Amino acid sequence: MSKEHIETPTDETLKSNFIHQEIDKDLQENKNQGKVLTRFPPEPNGYLHIGHAKSICLNFGLGKHYNGATNLRFDDTNPVKEDVEYVDSIKEDVKWLGFEWQGEPRFTSDYFDQLYAWAVKLIKKGKAYVDDQSAEQIASQKGTPTEPGKESPFRNRSVEENLDLFERMKNGEFEEGEKVLRAKIDLASPNMHMRDPLMYRILKRHHHRTGDKWCIYPMYDFAHGQGDFVEGITHSICTLEFEVHRPLYNWFLDQILEGEPAPEARPRQIEFARLNLNYTVMSKRKLLQLVNENYVSGWDDPRMPTISGLRRRGYTPASVRRFADEIGVAKRENVIDVSLLEHCVREDLNKRAPRVYAVMNPVKVIITNYPEGQVEWMEAINNPEDESMGTRTLPFSREIYIEREDFMENAPKKFFRMDVGREVRLKNAYIVKCEGIEKDESGEITEIHCTYDPNTKSGMEGSNRKVKGTLHWVSIEHSKTVQVKQYDRLFMDEAPDGHKDKEFLEFLNPDSLSVIDNCYIEPNYKDAGANFEDGIERYQFQRLGYFCIDKDSTEKQVIFNRTVALRDSWSKKKK
Ligand code: ATP
Ligand code: MG
């Protein structure tokens, strides 16, 4: 992975993926009049996660690459689990990632009338029937892949009776579970999805868009392919588990289109492997459980693999797009190392985040030969990777904080930080020499005494003197106090939901959040210019990592979230 790569649009990787090759072929054959229209079809039953980001980057990336377009469609066929809160969050997340859908967002519920009419058409053709059996009974008759299913006693109802019953289902005359509409296909098909699958069920539920208009709702399988068709989607990209549904989607379309003029476009489904990340759970059901049972503070908790969680953690849209590029698109399932995601944000922030000084675990240093009351404003470069980000000034005075870890008594030779008798450079200020320390009764160091060499300020002759070790620092009197939240992985196991005998919750990391109430930061950090396109301020705290300002910050209490450490600390940890 080279650094220059990070801003590359999704186009680059798309050129080499197999979906791209399939679409190229279609275009060469002038299918769909040379048009490409893709869609991203979430069900609004939870917040989007990093897996969805892969699908978003792929679908919108294809739309863009082929000068086509991409629809955003909410597949809202299950009123029990869906909510406008999810619709709103999904729109926000897609926009934040930097993509634009064609026209207004669409909803499968907008097609409920059309779907109902198509169901009636199937009944009239003798291709669908009302079944009075319970879901359990129907399931028990499905058979196995090698054994055919059993016919329902209601399979051979007359068309008239089916039409009457289906209409009465719609009119609310039956209770939930009393009846379903099934397609009449083939109970001996080796594909279980073709064994008279359900098309409609009774649900006397309020729908977030259609209200109480409907008390029957189409199954996802009877809605998804038709949704694509209605919208003129040319390429319907989805995850591998839908491969076995493809014959069913095609069967439904064949039935619907029979006797109709040939359509301009008929969706072609192409499947790819979903994203799996280690140390992460991605099922919406499990993420919802983490939220509902308060293991995290919400869908956007910075430890969540949701897009909103990543955003709050400080990830940039570019870093997420970059990650999608890196992992590419394949036909075979694999597990991606979460450190790749961290690598992508680190690379992006290295280029774009200004450097500022903050001390998280302070120890006081007194520079005994520095005049009391004197303040010097030192010039500091905001980002050595990007000169255009300019400089700012920070105050230097007699009493400063450094990190406690930057001092060691009787340190070994290789410890290039502070010890009595040694010299170090205070970055952007002077070279200082440690003369002594003071401790309390418990042996903890309370003060470090140093002298400075006035001839070593940057630009001065003495500043070129070689010293091993450069430390960051803040002037005590001038520093601001902020809160810092540091995050570690939410799960300690590589595959938290991959254990048969254990629940994923058993692998929660008890130390995934640690809070430092008093972190000292230079007063003018805002001058460093942390202007990101999404309005979130992101910084590198010199030598500590990348941090962003949390949305819950107030004038009085600024909260920083640690996005990622400067280096991958996990690669060294034991498994
Ligand atoms: P769940 O099964 O956890 O309820 P879902 O993944 O089915 O959720 P949808 O809202 O149906 O959620 O997903 C919308 C789109 O995102 C689908 O096209 C789906 O294929 C894709 N998608 C979901 N998860 C992943 C993933 N891990 N990797 C890539 N694409 C994904
Ligand atoms: Mg789904």
Side-chain angles (χ1 to χ4, degrees), residues 482-504:
V482 296
Q483 188 184 63
V484 163
K485 291 185 173 168
Q486 300 204 84
Y487 304 96
D488 203 343
R489 288 174 189 168
L490 193 51
F491 294 98
M492 296 181 296
D493 189 82
E494 266 193 74
D497 53 4
H499 297 260
K500 280 204 185 83
D501 49 338
K502 284 188 176 158
E503 233 209 316
F504 75 104

Side-chain angles (χ1 to χ4, degrees), residues 43-61:
E43 183 182 354
N45 62 351
Y47 281 58
L48 298 181
H49 52 60
I50 183 72
H52 294 116
K54 172 176 180 175
S55 175
I56 292 168
C57 291
L58 177 60
N59 279 301
F60 283 88

